[in-house]
Amino acid sequence: MYVGCIAYADDIVLLSALLVNLQKMIDICFDQGSKLDIQFNPSKSCLFKIGPGYNQLLPNLHIGNKPIFGADKLKYLGVYFDSGKMININILPIMRKFYDSANSILCHSKYVSELTKLSLFESFALPVLMYGLDVLFLDPVQIRKLNVCWNNIYRRIFIDGSLLKFYS
């Protein structure tokens, strides 16, 4: 089933296989937005390409008379995507945020028990790692990397308590 528009709150994704149709969709959004006193910000918009011609240079699209530029990376609802022949979910920002959260907990919980630390990690760091995963399709390598992140927490809590290092 074709879905040409995905919207959540004030975030909108328009999908089209043809630039002409995508520009028509943008024009409809712009016209309707103008009638409702809603302004679309071209600087917060981008042309994100997926498929065999993802690396081809395409003409810019426009919101009103302002151009929309191409982008190789996209963040939508906290999930990062990379342009390519297939849609690619970039888990590195998720891993960085997770380790930032974990290190913050480790720095501020030096004198608490291991079970309290584990409870803190489950309450504050694990949701960072798991955000959005129930609707994303990750490959086995990505799943393994996220699993390693969580296993590192257990090692740090129950073995040495040192800060976690992130390697991309």
Side-chain angles (χ1 to χ4, degrees):
M1 176 178 14
Y2 170 72
V3 177
C5 179
I6 301 170
Y8 183 81
D10 65 344
D11 289 316
I12 300 172
V13 174
L14 300 176
L15 304 168
S16 178
L18 299 173
L19 281 178
V20 173
N21 291 346
L22 187 58
Q23 184 62 61
K24 287 179 185 178
M25 294 167 74
I26 293 169
D27 292 341
I28 291 169
C29 289
F30 179 78
D31 292 342
Q32 292 302 312
S34 296
K35 291 176 185 176
L36 298 170
D37 199 27
I38 297 171
Q39 293 183 0
F40 292 95
N41 187 346
S43 66
K44 291 185 176 181
S45 304
C46 69
L47 177 60
F48 183 74
K49 302 173 285 184
I50 300 169
Y54 78 95
N55 56 358
Q56 293 178 353
L57 187 62
L58 298 175
N60 292 329
L61 300 179
H62 293 82
I63 295 178
N65 60 357
K66 297 178 183 171
I68 304 171
F69 297 103
D72 294 332
K73 298 181 182 311
L74 172 72
K75 178 183 175 189
Y76 183 67
L77 300 177
V79 179
Y80 296 83
F81 299 93
D82 291 332
S83 184
K85 288 184 181 179
M86 303 283 291
I87 193 160
N88 181 33
I89 299 162
N90 186 345
I91 64 168
L92 293 179
I94 296 168
M95 292 170 60
R96 283 188 194 100
K97 286 181 183 180
F98 172 74
Y99 282 125
D100 286 347
S101 174
N103 283 329
S104 179
I105 292 168
L106 283 171
C107 287
H108 294 93
S109 63
K110 290 180 183 178
Y111 304 108
V112 300
S113 71
E114 285 86 2
L115 290 178
T116 302
K117 285 181 188 178
L118 182 59
S119 178
L120 289 169
F121 283 119
E122 288 175 347
S123 297
F124 298 104
L126 186 59
V128 172
L129 190 64
M130 302 298 291
Y131 176 78
L133 293 184
D134 51 343
V135 295
L136 300 175
F137 296 102
L138 300 179
D139 64 44
V141 172
Q142 291 173 314
I143 293 170
R144 184 184 58 75
K145 286 180 179 182
L146 295 178
N147 191 39
V148 166
C149 289
W150 187 245
N151 287 338
N152 285 340
I153 292 295
Y154 276 87
R155 286 187 201 95
R156 295 302 183 230
I157 293 173
F158 297 108
I159 296 174
D160 66 1
S162 65
L163 293 179
L164 298 163
K165 295 179 183 174
F166 174 73
Y167 302 100
S168 55

